[in-house]
Amino acid sequence: MARKNELASPISQFLGVSVVAGILVYGGSLVLSGESDLSASDFITYIIIFTQVLNPAKEISRAFSNIQRGIASAERIFGVIDTESQIKAPAVPKPVSEFRTAIEFRDVAFAYEDKLVLKAINFTLKKRKNHRVGRPFRRREIYLGRFGSAIL
């Protein structure tokens, strides 16, 4: 998808220049041969106006494309948000008296359906400290946030 977006601007630029060149060659030959009702100055004015309309038309097309991608993204996000959690709260939860220093996860595993994705993950979340999972300076980092008063 990203490659298509990267090619869209150069391709539309090439097509715009090609159309202007075609109009210039064909229209110019008609004007110079006298087969057209346009004078040379009217034809040049037409070319200038036509080239000024190309960029706003491309921007409208680009905005419409971005809106369509935004709608598709929003539908996917709302689909995830509206999904009911399959994790059920225990009938008799263990009481937590207080949260002093940290929460430790030992040998955590996670699977989608039957496919194990994470296996034997261990980490500790310290109180009042930001934690992130992922590579530094990447957009896909997951911030686990500040723990402390939000937990209890």
Side-chain angles (χ1 to χ4, degrees):
M1 182 71 172
R3 284 183 166 181
K4 288 181 186 177
N5 290 341
E6 291 173 6
L7 287 176
S9 182
I11 288 174
S12 67
Q13 194 72 22
F14 173 76
L15 291 175
V17 169
S18 299
V19 167
V20 170
I23 291 173
L24 190 60
V25 168
Y26 180 70
S29 66
L30 289 178
V31 169
L32 291 177
S33 67
E35 297 176 24
S36 173
D37 293 337
L38 290 175
S39 66
S41 62
D42 290 340
F43 180 67
I44 290 172
T45 304
Y46 171 76
I47 293 291
I48 290 171
I49 291 172
F50 184 79
T51 57
Q52 296 303 312
V53 170
L54 279 178
N55 283 335
K58 284 192 287 187
E59 290 300 320
I60 289 171
S61 172
R62 186 177 300 138
F64 182 74
S65 173
N66 287 341
I67 289 170
Q68 294 301 317
R69 282 189 305 171
I71 290 171
S73 297
E75 286 176 356
R76 288 191 301 268
I77 290 169
F78 291 139
V80 170
I81 290 172
D82 293 340
T83 302
E84 191 171 324
S85 177
Q86 295 179 356
I87 300 171
K88 303 297 179 198
V92 182
K94 292 181 181 179
V96 177
S97 59
E98 62 181 293
F99 175 45
R100 291 187 181 174
T101 58
I103 296 175
E104 185 175 349
F105 292 84
R106 293 186 197 151
D107 295 326
V108 175
F110 183 78
Y112 288 108
E113 304 281 328
D114 295 331
K115 185 178 179 183
L116 192 62
V117 206
L118 297 174
K119 181 179 178 184
I121 302 296
N122 300 307
F123 60 95
T124 303
L125 300 174
K126 295 183 180 176
K127 186 175 183 176
R128 297 191 190 342
K129 185 173 180 190
N130 281 332
H131 300 276
R132 70 175 175 238
V133 177
R135 295 181 184 153
F137 308 111
R138 300 289 294 220
R139 283 186 279 165
R140 294 189 178 168
E141 288 179 344
I142 301 169
Y143 285 92
L144 298 176
R146 281 193 173 264
F147 283 83
S149 60
I151 289 182
L152 296 175

